[in-house]
Amino acid sequence: MFTVTIRDHVMIAHSLRGEVFGPAQRLHGATYVVDAGFAGPELDADGILVDIGRATDVVREVLDRLRYRNLDNEDLVAGQNSTTEVLARWVADRLAERAAGGDLGPGGQALAGIEVTLHESHVARASYQRAL
Amino acid sequence: MFTVTIRDHVMIAHSLRGEVFGPAQRLHGATYVVDAGFAGPELDADGILVDIGRATDVVREVLDRLRYRNLDNEDLVAGQNSTTEVLARWVADRLAERAAGGDLGPGGQALAGIEVTLHESHVARASYQRAL
Amino acid sequence: MFTVTIRDHVMIAHSLRGEVFGPAQRLHGATYVVDAGFAGPELDADGILVDIGRATDVVREVLDRLRYRNLDNEDLVAGQNSTTEVLARWVADRLAERAAGGDLGPGGQALAGIEVTLHESHVARASYQRAL
Amino acid sequence: MFTVTIRDHVMIAHSLRGEVFGPAQRLHGATYVVDAGFAGPELDADGILVDIGRATDVVREVLDRLRYRNLDNEDLVAGQNSTTEVLARWVADRLAERAAGGDLGPGGQALAGIEVTLHESHVARASYQRAL
Amino acid sequence: MFTVTIRDHVMIAHSLRGEVFGPAQRLHGATYVVDAGFAGPELDADGILVDIGRATDVVREVLDRLRYRNLDNEDLVAGQNSTTEVLARWVADRLAERAAGGDLGPGGQALAGIEVTLHESHVARASYQRAL
Amino acid sequence: MFTVTIRDHVMIAHSLRGEVFGPAQRLHGATYVVDAGFAGPELDADGILVDIGRATDVVREVLDRLRYRNLDNEDLVAGQNSTTEVLARWVADRLAERAAGGDLGPGGQALAGIEVTLHESHVARASYQRAL
């Protein structure tokens, strides 16, 4: 199995509802350093899993929906908290849609899975891994 | 599958028995930068896999058993060398016990697995991955 | 010259006023990974520049003033934007006050300078360096 | 499952054939920071998965075949582009041969799998994972 | 003193003339992860040292002159080896020209110095620091 | 001014005398990831500040004196605690002697300064900077 992983980042504001979050219930924010990994069993005739230029563009476009926004005002994850876990899944699901829609090129449609990791600091991160 | 990973560290002394270890048979030590990853298929109603505050506390408490100690004098891993591999498993097994015992909260009891990585330097690390 | 550097982090929300900031004029946020460096020419009788336990506590306490807050509502940097540069200076100045006040112990009062770096992502950071 | 991972690096020149590569069709080069991970279910009597000294030597020897070379002139990956994906597989396959041949010691022959990651920059990497 | 640092990267081929370089006399290549630091004593009315958007563009444009090129065929550093040290100075000197020419905006013309670090691997880097 | 920096590491045991050290008064250990930086104003005719091969060897040889040792039993820093600060100075002083003695080649004798950083974990490090 091959995996190609691209790093980008996004800066957002949000608050989290629920006593478990303590002071993070207040409006605050985060830089998420995002590792978007694309996995598949075969390379194409050029020797690549996916066109890394297209993949970089698609990751940036997906993150643009979050970029410099207060997620409390965005209708992204209806009714749910925008935790690191929830956002990792949201990014992975958007990338999966884009891959299925052909935006990653023909290689993108042969992918087996996607794993998205959001690093919220140097000491905490969350990932979501899904099949395609 | 979701994974939430927390980073902490611990500094220990130990020696390793066996010719394969060469000069590491002498009493020396290590800083282990520890990545403790908790994996599970579902988020709770708050949108989290596990209470990251509790998880941080539990990781720190587990590592406290090792912290600033000479492992040659501790009865941790009966008869075995305290290699990076053995310590990764020891940490993962302690975290598994704590999760099963409810110390990570209800989310902790729904976890599917744990992966612990000990970075012993910028060029070497060992991991142990287990189901819960 | 010796330097001892401690890493911590803080997550905040804010907006930035001025066309130069483009989309960062919107309310968004950041994780700042903070490197607080204490510099001085001499070690004390214990062989340390500063008590790292106290220094760690003081850095955390200074950052607590920012932690999980919307800086637009805080009276921190009167009339100024809370840019990464301004926040680096704000943190360095608070640490300088604490060092002068004895909160870092006697070693802290013999320090020559402080340098604070705020990493706002994996590709951008700002520092402020000052004498004591 | 245990994994032991060793980091090394190699610097090469090459060009890539195919419009998808854009300006990377020109002769250029890369530093690949290489993470070679060895996985297996059991530790030996010394408490190790694999002799890390031997593993370090074998990784260095495998990378020596690439080191400071123009891969366009090397007969490594017949007819294929030497993309990061292809090179990750090439390294993993060579390590698998060396493990099977006993060069990693008895522990090497009990390994279950190998994963090789080539970091081509701070924002892009490719991995190849295979069974043994 | 404030410093704002931006990270980018570039991939090149080259060879180095001189016995001191050993096998690096062969045509090979490198990924340089580039940290471009801009230093100055004062912030402008917006609270910034330099427009980070412009600075990011200028760093990318300067590196474009190197990007995906065989430096042996480029007339960059007449008669000199394109060592990491020489390239760090070349990048710093180009950034200094751009700052002097106003391409970083008015803040760029008030800068005091530039420091450029080229990381050639996870274990080696070279920097060049100059006044403006 | 140019700086060339090489990374290596060393694993040691030690204890620290003095109440300020709390539990670190017990015998424990550390991995120090060592950045050895050599600074100077001029490059030689080859375009290098210092022969990086020789510098790498000298750094390794200096660290060999510490490697896999219990520093409590070594006569390194007479009467002093082997704190991170003290060890950073010890390494820098040994490198300075080696540079003065010609072990870094002619370039080494034209160096202006040395800075040694010891990273004791992902959250703490100490540096010592000296002239040559």
Side-chain angles (χ1 to χ4, degrees), chain F residues 95-118:
Chain F
L95 292 175
E97 290 167 2
R98 298 291 299 266
D103 293 346
L104 294 175
Q109 288 169 309
L111 292 173
I114 284 181
E115 179 164 11
V116 170
T117 300
L118 269 60

Side-chain angles (χ1 to χ4, degrees), chain C residues 1-3 5 7 46-47 49, chain F residues 81 83 85 123 125 127 129:
Chain C
M1 183 69 75
F2 296 91
T3 308
T5 303
R7 178 164 284 194
D46 289 319
L49 182 70
Chain F
N81 275 316
T83 60
E85 294 94 318
V123 293
R125 63 183 192 263
S127 299
Q129 187 171 30

Side-chain angles (χ1 to χ4, degrees), chain E residues 71-87:
Chain E
L71 301 188
D72 293 355
N73 297 339
E74 303 293 322
D75 189 21
L76 281 173
V77 286
Q80 283 186 291
N81 276 317
S82 57
T83 60
T84 311
E85 293 95 317
V86 166
L87 291 172

Side-chain angles (χ1 to χ4, degrees), chain B residues 33-50:
Chain B
V33 175
V34 179
D35 287 320
F38 302 92
E42 301 289 346
L43 303 181
D44 71 11
D46 289 318
I48 57 175
L49 183 69
V50 66

Side-chain angles (χ1 to χ4, degrees), chain D residues 57-74:
Chain D
D57 289 346
V58 165
V59 171
R60 190 184 57 243
E61 290 163 14
V62 165
L63 296 181
D64 278 345
R65 179 70 183 85
L66 309 178
R67 205 176 306 278
Y68 294 122
R69 293 185 188 280
N70 177 0
L71 302 187
D72 293 355
N73 296 339
E74 303 293 322

Side-chain angles (χ1 to χ4, degrees), chain B residues 27-87:
Chain B
L27 181 64
H28 64 286
T31 305
Y32 295 115
V33 175
V34 179
D35 287 320
F38 302 92
E42 301 289 346
L43 303 181
D44 71 11
D46 289 318
I48 57 175
L49 183 69
V50 66
D51 178 346
I52 203 168
R54 281 194 181 201
T56 300
D57 289 346
V58 166
V59 171
R60 190 183 58 243
E61 290 163 15
V62 165
L63 296 181
D64 278 344
R65 179 72 183 82
L66 310 178
R67 205 177 305 278
Y68 295 122
R69 293 184 188 280
N70 176 359
L71 302 187
D72 293 355
N73 296 339
E74 303 293 322
D75 189 22
L76 281 172
V77 287
Q80 281 186 293
N81 276 315
S82 57
T83 60
T84 312
E85 294 94 317
V86 165
L87 290 173

Side-chain angles (χ1 to χ4, degrees), chain F residues 3 12 15 19-20 33 36 48 67 70 94 100 102 104-105 130:
Chain F
T3 308
I12 59 93
S15 59
E19 279 184 34
V20 70
V33 175
I48 58 175
R67 206 177 305 277
N70 176 0
R94 295 300 78 69
L104 294 175
R130 55 162 284 172

Side-chain angles (χ1 to χ4, degrees), chain D residues 90-131:
Chain D
W90 184 89
V91 173
D93 287 349
R94 295 299 78 69
L95 292 175
E97 291 167 2
R98 298 291 298 265
D103 293 345
L104 295 175
Q109 289 171 308
L111 293 173
I114 284 180
E115 179 164 11
V116 171
T117 301
L118 270 60
H119 304 258
E120 67 175 56
S121 74
H122 64 304
V123 291
R125 63 182 191 263
S127 301
Y128 181 67
Q129 188 172 30
R130 56 162 283 171

